[in-house]
Amino acid sequence: MNIAVLGTGMVGQALAGRLHDLGHSVTVGTRDPQATLARTEPDGMGNPPYATWQAAHPGVSLATFADAAGGAELVVLATNGSASLGVLGLAGAENLAGKPLLDVSNPLDFSQGFPPSLFVKDTDSLGEQIQREFPDALVVKALNTLTAALMVDPRSLGESSTVFVSGNDAAAKATVVGLLESFGHDDVIDLGDLSGARGTEMLLPVWLRLMGTLGTGTFNFKIVR
Amino acid sequence: MNIAVLGTGMVGQALAGRLHDLGHSVTVGTRDPQATLARTEPDGMGNPPYATWQAAHPGVSLATFADAAGGAELVVLATNGSASLGVLGLAGAENLAGKPLLDVSNPLDFSQGFPPSLFVKDTDSLGEQIQREFPDALVVKALNTLTAALMVDPRSLGESSTVFVSGNDAAAKATVVGLLESFGHDDVIDLGDLSGARGTEMLLPVWLRLMGTLGTGTFNFKIVR
């Protein structure tokens, strides 16, 4: 499948690399590909610049958000939540129309420091905001509840754990579930329509607290039943 | 230990019954004991009236909120979240001072129907509201993330799962952890001070969604790590 991954951070890199390894044709989308490749300093979290990752993954393409989305059959939104709507605007509604849009982003507001608050919650969600702004995209919320390395390789935990999908289009959701299963997810719970994103986005505060308590982001929720 | 359980609903019954079975001296607190025992109709959820449960548990006492809390070494708040502050006011700040207060309640607002919204969230929590209103109580948030039957008998799931504790007083938290372990909880994660309640109270939306999806409340979160 031709897949666009919007976002060059750790999440975008993890998803793009894994999708490429699984045989998909992957284009990473960014605002300005030349500028992205020219950055040589680590990011704010101390991670190496994108160019380092790109050099190690020559089979993955880099393009503008619009070019990446335009050539894709499925689009992955792997940006910071505060950038999500703007990035999708740059990608272009016409390049998203009729395509599954896997929204991995979280509505975290770091403007007051750590821990972040949620800029949308409870009676609405970022997933739903995206769907309202881009009504022809087939938004599926998933993978926003675990760290990048586990998104694409959950079996590394050594025990089954759970991921969630929410979305209004059954076929798009089935496509995303297929991708999740190809990553190794063996317990995918379908929460129904996109309003399920309210619950999964509100998992972030306890996730962040657990990261502090456990001293690692290498954990995941499992629904024992 | 002398324990007061404030609230006569399913959660209060489950906790009071289990604590009594474990050898504690348990008094259930209610607004008006005579009125509570006189009710013969099922509650709004179709559960039998409290008097039916009381008749089956003659070893558990029933008293006013104030009398129950006054005689207790530990107080369990097992009310609807919307009633929490009012019930504690009736119990009396002087009857809570210096005692562990196990807060099981959730800030659910059903005024707009189902699903409920949260009347406090994100940058504050019901647990913290209670602590601010009753500064001499030793509030510990726990057990608000699973159904009553599993609160007191988690092993019935057949697999280990997780519960969380948050609180500002280490000794009170240790007392609560001891109770949880006596119920059968073998994975208790200490989230630190009471602001950890923000995260666990925000688990409710996905919990409620899962209850709808799975068709049962008999499930629990496990943190796989």
Side-chain angles (χ1 to χ4, degrees):
Chain A
M1 192 163 24
N2 289 324
I3 298 179
V5 176
L6 308 184
T8 58
M10 299 299 288
V11 172
Q13 292 174 23
L15 287 163
R18 181 72 156 133
L19 288 164
H20 175 72
D21 289 347
L22 289 167
H24 299 286
S25 177
V26 179
T27 302
V28 171
T30 190
R31 199 171 303 261
D32 178 340
Q34 295 307 320
T36 296
L37 291 174
R39 275 199 299 273
T40 54
E41 70 285 10
D43 72 9
M45 311 269 289
N47 300 305
Y50 179 81
T52 304
W53 184 88
Q54 179 69 77
H57 295 80
V60 173
S61 305
L62 185 68
T64 64
F65 291 126
D67 285 346
E73 299 157 83
L74 179 146
V75 178
V76 180
L77 179 65
T79 50
N80 292 326
S82 57
S84 291
L85 290 171
V87 163
L88 291 173
L90 292 172
E94 68 282 11
N95 292 323
L96 303 171
K99 301 175 183 177
L101 173 59
L102 168 53
D103 170 27
V104 181
S105 64
N106 274 306
L108 300 179
D109 175 2
F110 286 93
S111 65
Q112 305 301 312
F114 194 91
S117 59
L118 300 176
F119 63 75
V120 56
K121 61 221 161 205
D122 198 11
T123 55
D124 196 7
S125 64
L126 181 54
E128 291 166 282
Q129 287 185 337
I130 290 169
Q131 184 66 85
R132 287 197 301 273
E133 187 98 354
F134 300 93
D136 295 329
L138 310 176
V139 179
V140 178
K141 190 90 195 188
L143 291 183
N144 63 305
T145 57
L146 70 177
T147 199
L150 293 178
M151 289 180 190
V152 299
D153 185 16
R155 290 178 180 156
S156 64
L157 267 181
E159 183 182 342
S160 175
S161 58
T162 303
V163 287
F164 309 96
V165 293
S166 306
N168 299 339
D169 186 90
K173 206 153 52 171
T175 299
V176 168
V177 170
L179 285 181
L180 300 183
E181 290 173 345
S182 74
F183 292 164
H185 290 287
D186 59 8
D187 186 32
V188 182
I189 296 183
D190 184 344
L191 292 175
D193 70 28
L194 195 54
S195 64
R198 300 175 191 180
T200 62
E201 292 175 6
M202 278 192 283
L203 286 174
L204 264 289
V206 82
W207 189 93
L208 290 162
R209 187 85 174 199
L210 283 164
M211 183 179 65
T213 297
L214 301 174
T216 175
T218 305
F219 64 85
N220 191 24
F221 300 99
K222 175 179 181 176
I223 304 303
V224 179
R225 58 210 192 264
Chain B
M1 194 164 23
N2 289 323
I3 299 179
V5 176
L6 308 184
T8 57
M10 299 299 289
V11 173
Q13 292 174 22
L15 287 163
R18 181 72 156 134
L19 288 164
H20 175 72
D21 290 346
L22 288 168
H24 299 286
S25 177
V26 179
T27 302
V28 170
T30 189
R31 200 170 301 261
D32 177 341
Q34 294 307 320
T36 296
L37 291 174
R39 276 198 299 273
T40 55
E41 71 284 10
D43 71 8
M45 311 269 289
N47 300 306
Y50 179 79
T52 304
W53 183 88
Q54 181 67 78
H57 295 80
V60 173
S61 304
L62 185 68
T64 63
F65 290 126
D67 285 346
E73 299 157 81
L74 180 147
V75 177
V76 180
L77 179 64
T79 49
N80 292 326
S82 57
S84 291
L85 291 171
V87 162
L88 292 173
L90 292 172
E94 69 281 11
N95 292 322
L96 303 172
K99 301 176 183 176
L101 173 58
L102 168 53
D103 171 27
V104 182
S105 64
N106 274 306
L108 300 179
D109 175 1
F110 286 93
S111 65
Q112 305 300 312
F114 194 91
S117 58
L118 300 176
F119 62 75
V120 56
K121 61 222 163 204
D122 199 10
T123 56
D124 196 7
S125 64
L126 181 54
E128 291 166 283
Q129 287 186 335
I130 291 169
Q131 185 67 83
R132 287 196 302 273
E133 187 99 355
F134 300 93
D136 296 329
L138 310 176
V139 180
V140 179
K141 190 90 196 189
L143 291 184
N144 64 305
T145 56
L146 69 177
T147 199
L150 293 178
M151 289 180 190
V152 299
D153 185 16
R155 290 178 179 156
S156 64
L157 266 181
E159 184 181 341
S160 175
S161 59
T162 303
V163 288
F164 310 96
V165 294
S166 307
N168 299 339
D169 186 272
K173 206 153 50 170
T175 299
V176 167
V177 169
L179 285 181
L180 300 183
E181 290 173 346
S182 73
F183 292 164
H185 290 286
D186 60 7
D187 185 31
V188 181
I189 296 183
D190 185 343
L191 292 174
D193 71 27
L194 196 54
S195 64
R198 300 175 191 180
T200 62
E201 294 176 6
M202 278 192 282
L203 286 173
L204 265 288
V206 81
W207 190 93
L208 290 162
R209 187 86 174 197
L210 283 163
M211 183 178 66
T213 297
L214 302 174
T216 175
T218 305
F219 63 86
N220 191 25
F221 300 99
K222 175 178 182 176
I223 304 303
V224 178
R225 58 209 192 266

